[in-house]
Amino acid sequence: MAQSIQAGQSYGFFTDTSVCIGCKACEVACKEWNQLQGDSPAFLADSFDNTGSLDAQNWRHVQFVEHVPDESATAGNGTAWLMMSDVCKHCKHASCMEVCPTGAIIRTEFDTVFIQQDVCNGCRNCIAACPYSVIGMNQQTGTAHKCTLCYDRLQGGLEPACAKACPTQSIQFGPLADLQKAADVRLATLHSQGQTQAQLYGRDESVYGGLNAFFLLMDKPETYGLPNADNARLPSRNDAGGYLAALVTGVLAVVAGLVAFRRRVTR
Amino acid sequence: MVFLAEHFVRAPQWTWYILFYFFFAGLAGGAYVLGTLLRLSGDPRDEHASKLGYYVALPALVLCPILLTADLGASWSRFWHMLIDVTPGETSPILHYWSPMSTGAWALLIFGVFAFVSAADAWLADRRGAPLLPPAVGRVIGIAGSLFALFIASYTGVLLSVSNQPVWSDTWTLGGLFLASGLSGAAALITLLVRYRSEAVVSLARLRVADGYFSILELVLLVAFFITVALAGEATRIVSWFPLWIVALVGIVASLLGVRRPARAPVTGETAAAPLAIEATVVSVLVLVAVLAMRAAVIFSAQ
Ligand code: SF4
Ligand code: SF4
């Protein structure tokens, strides 16, 4: 991070899963900076993943995709065992922000998606909306919590804690345009090495208008629990159909009621 | 091409408060609409049933914001954040027409005024023998209020759909479904209350005819609901709640069968009304239970 961090610019993460080693330094750094106490420990037993999922206490989550084949993987075949440090995507068209009735969810001067804790009233509409299962309810405050992209650090000119801690540069922070350029170069390199399954997710506008926190994946998005471009749809897609059905029902019901009550009263 | 939806979303944990909110919102909206339609019937004897509708709508509506506030994760004192955006430095009223939760909060407030005025007018009419408002004004208020009543009874379904949840967001039917069942439930509720106001018995047979129409609408929408959700590949989620669906279907069928044997409204006297009451009571209770069961099945099938 040579240049200073400026308000009015778009910032984000480029998470390159091809170099993630699953060390979880990002998870720890995030909790430390944001003073997240973490959920009470659970032993999931069948995975290196004991975090489970993103939620109010986990704003970075290292996902382990463990489809290890019985026979040993061939050389250079990295698809059998995948790691990905998941995070709020800071979607350009954010489902959570779209449905929030209080205006608690805003885009900051760094073009990130932020939940104002003093405005949120805990209605949980954003949880129903976020297609990535990012947001959780903080039990102490009763409000919705998620990654802030270290809003406070950015204001102080510091890069987010997870990116700072990541030892492999799997998590890169910076101005969005720079990250996109870096991602294109990295993808070309991988493709030239024969890693044709490598793909960018959220780099272009096909997923929610583009993700400020986008990824380089080593398999298709669904493998990582990410909706593909066809499935990445905003909640408001259902406004028109839902209200239309209600309107038609309402008109029919009123007419039916008038017809029923107009009938002669027989005695 | 069949489009199979994929969902990686977390459930919002909307449970009992929300279930009963949906229930009472459907009944409040439905009862208000029926009260107005009965008033428009052209037969002054329907006034009694109409007033029952208005009397039911008010308390049912009052429960709504209480249940909603109780469901908030944050302190109840933040309920008004739905109406006023308190973002520091930018405090202003907030209405996002594309978010049903936002429009619904305003609609509840406005409908509350209508429900109060109409119920108060009905009450004054009962006390003084004549309504305070001229009948034409009362009618206009009833019609305007009914628009909000229809919204309140239906938007909760649209709210569920405007999300990324499985089942809910895979169908366009929920708004219409909740409205039809709310109207049906309100007809049942008014029927049950006729015992406390025997003059309203005049409207009973036609209320059940209306209920029959509402039940047909509900049945059609229910079928459309199953089809849309199945096409999205989420059928297993609804099937696992099949006991609740059975209860919902029993209510619909009961109300349709109830219409087929319309009991004649007896001329006078509570004793004469008694034999009718038993059958009507059974049907009405089944319908009300179905209204609740259908909403429960929808709410829980996604979570
Ligand atoms: S990933 Fe979820 S929480 Fe983050 S901006 Fe997108 S919709 Fe909102
Ligand atoms: S829980 Fe808070 S942030 Fe989420 S939609 Fe409700 S008010 Fe907005």
Side-chain angles (χ1 to χ4, degrees):
Chain A
M1 274 311 304
Q3 342 87 300
S4 63
I5 295 169
Q6 311 219 333
Q9 269 225 54
S10 284
Y11 289 92
F13 288 126
F14 165 42
T15 305
D16 177 355
T17 70
S18 69
V19 290
C20 178
I21 54 171
C23 70
K24 306 187 192 179
C26 51
E27 286 192 20
V28 175
C30 175
K31 288 198 178 65
E32 216 161 80
W33 177 263
N34 292 299
Q35 301 184 331
L36 302 171
Q37 59 181 26
D39 299 322
S40 45
F43 181 50
L44 303 180
D46 59 347
S47 171
F48 281 82
D49 177 8
N50 279 311
T51 307
S53 64
L54 291 170
D55 58 24
Q57 296 293 331
N58 298 296
W59 299 354
R60 272 275 176 192
H61 165 223
V62 181
Q63 229 189 74
F64 290 78
V65 181
E66 291 144 323
H67 295 149
V68 185
D70 287 340
E71 72 278 14
S72 53
T74 51
N77 177 0
T79 58
W81 203 34
L82 304 173
M83 285 147 249
M84 165 198 171
S85 179
D86 198 7
V87 69
C88 167
K89 320 299 181 281
H90 298 273
C91 315
K92 192 124 283 169
H93 302 150
S95 303
C96 60
M97 192 169 156
E98 188 178 74
V99 301
C100 174
T102 65
I105 306 185
I106 57 164
R107 292 202 88 84
T108 68
E109 62 271 36
F110 306 111
D111 197 29
T112 57
V113 178
F114 180 79
I115 304 181
Q116 304 176 90
Q117 294 302 311
D118 45 353
V119 179
C120 172
N121 67 7
C123 72
R124 312 196 286 297
N125 214 11
C126 53
I127 297 180
C130 171
Y132 299 106
S133 205
V134 164
I135 306 176
M137 287 297 288
N138 180 303
Q139 297 309 322
Q140 276 80 47
T141 61
T143 51
H145 270 215
K146 72 166 190 72
C147 161
T148 65
L149 218 140
C150 281
Y151 183 52
D152 49 352
R153 287 175 65 98
L154 298 198
Q155 284 180 317
L158 298 171
E159 69 175 312
C162 56
K164 177 115 184 147
C166 176
T168 64
Q169 292 187 11
S170 173
I171 301 175
Q172 297 173 33
F173 167 81
L176 197 53
D178 296 0
L179 294 176
Q180 291 172 341
K181 248 176 263 159
D184 293 342
V185 171
R186 176 67 183 152
L187 183 71
T189 308
L190 284 171
H191 280 177
S192 72
Q193 291 173 348
Q195 302 281 351
T196 49
Q197 75 280 29
Q199 54 184 285
L200 296 178
Y201 180 81
R203 153 76 176 83
D204 60 18
E205 289 168 9
S206 61
V207 187
Y208 294 113
L211 308 177
N212 276 33
F214 65 99
F215 297 82
L216 186 149
L217 305 177
M218 297 305 282
D219 203 337
K220 48 186 197 323
E222 298 92 313
T223 309
Y224 297 88
L226 303 169
N228 58 26
D230 286 339
N231 271 297
R233 294 175 300 162
L234 286 164
S236 60
R237 70 182 181 279
N238 285 327
D239 266 317
Y243 280 127
L244 188 65
L247 183 69
V248 171
T249 308
V251 170
L252 289 176
V254 166
V255 170
L258 285 174
V259 168
F261 297 150
R262 280 274 171 190
R263 281 199 187 171
R264 287 197 68 77
V265 180
T266 46
R267 292 209 145 189
Chain B
M1 188 196 93
V2 181
F3 181 77
L4 288 188
E6 279 180 320
H7 299 280
F8 303 104
V9 67
R10 166 172 297 129
Q13 308 292 340
W14 289 332
T15 54
W16 301 104
Y17 288 130
I18 295 304
L19 169 60
F20 282 97
Y21 164 55
F22 285 7
F23 180 68
F24 286 114
L27 293 183
Y32 192 95
V33 172
L34 289 179
T36 303
L37 290 178
L38 282 162
R39 181 169 273 186
L40 296 177
S41 76
D43 186 335
R45 287 171 301 172
D46 284 328
E47 251 329 280
H48 295 287
S50 163
K51 282 178 183 155
L52 281 180
Y54 288 144
Y55 283 151
V56 168
L58 184 61
L61 177 77
V62 166
L63 290 172
C64 293
I66 297 174
L67 289 163
L68 283 178
T69 304
D71 186 67
L72 292 181
S75 158
W76 64 269
S77 62
R78 287 193 181 185
F79 69 92
W80 57 282
H81 287 199
M82 301 265 184
L83 305 172
I84 310 289
D85 182 347
V86 296
T87 299
E90 290 172 31
T91 303
S92 60
I94 181 168
L95 173 61
H96 288 170
Y97 66 84
W98 57 90
S99 169
M101 198 181 277
S102 176
T103 44
W106 284 102
L108 264 182
L109 189 73
I110 297 170
F111 178 51
V113 175
F114 281 107
F116 176 78
V117 169
S118 296
D121 193 43
W123 184 73
L124 283 175
D126 278 344
R127 292 283 307 247
R128 303 159 69 235
L132 193 63
L133 300 168
V137 175
R139 229 169 262 165
V140 169
I141 290 180
I143 292 170
S146 290
L147 297 178
F148 288 95
L150 289 167
F151 187 84
I152 287 299
S154 58
Y155 92 94
T156 51
V158 184
L159 185 154
L160 293 183
S161 290
V162 178
S163 72
N164 274 314
Q165 296 289 315
V167 180
W168 300 349
S169 70
D170 294 327
T171 182
W172 44 264
T173 55
L174 291 178
L177 189 58
F178 281 13
L179 176 56
S181 103
L183 284 163
S184 176
L189 193 55
I190 294 174
T191 303
L192 284 180
L193 293 175
V194 163
R195 68 178 60 237
Y196 300 110
R197 188 157 185 156
S198 48
E199 307 97 309
V201 90
V202 175
S203 315
L204 206 53
R206 288 170 307 138
L207 255 180
R208 296 172 77 192
V209 173
D211 186 16
Y213 290 141
F214 302 148
S215 297
I216 292 172
L217 277 174
E218 192 182 348
L219 197 58
V220 170
L221 284 160
L222 201 58
V223 171
F225 168 78
F226 283 127
I227 292 174
T228 46
V229 173
L231 284 179
E234 299 288 345
T236 46
R237 287 180 190 265
I238 34 181
V239 170
S240 55
W241 291 96
F242 88 95
L244 286 177
W245 293 114
I246 300 288
V247 175
L249 273 175
V250 166
I252 296 175
V253 171
S255 109
L256 287 174
L257 291 181
V259 186
R260 287 180 145 262
R261 276 175 269 125
R264 278 288 142 81
V267 186
T268 49
E270 272 144 57
T271 43
L276 159 101
I278 289 172
E279 192 202 324
T281 304
V282 171
V283 171
S284 300
V285 169
L286 286 177
V287 168
L288 281 171
V289 171
V291 170
L292 193 62
M294 193 269 283
R295 282 163 173 72
V298 169
I299 289 178
F300 292 126
S301 59
Q303 310 188 73

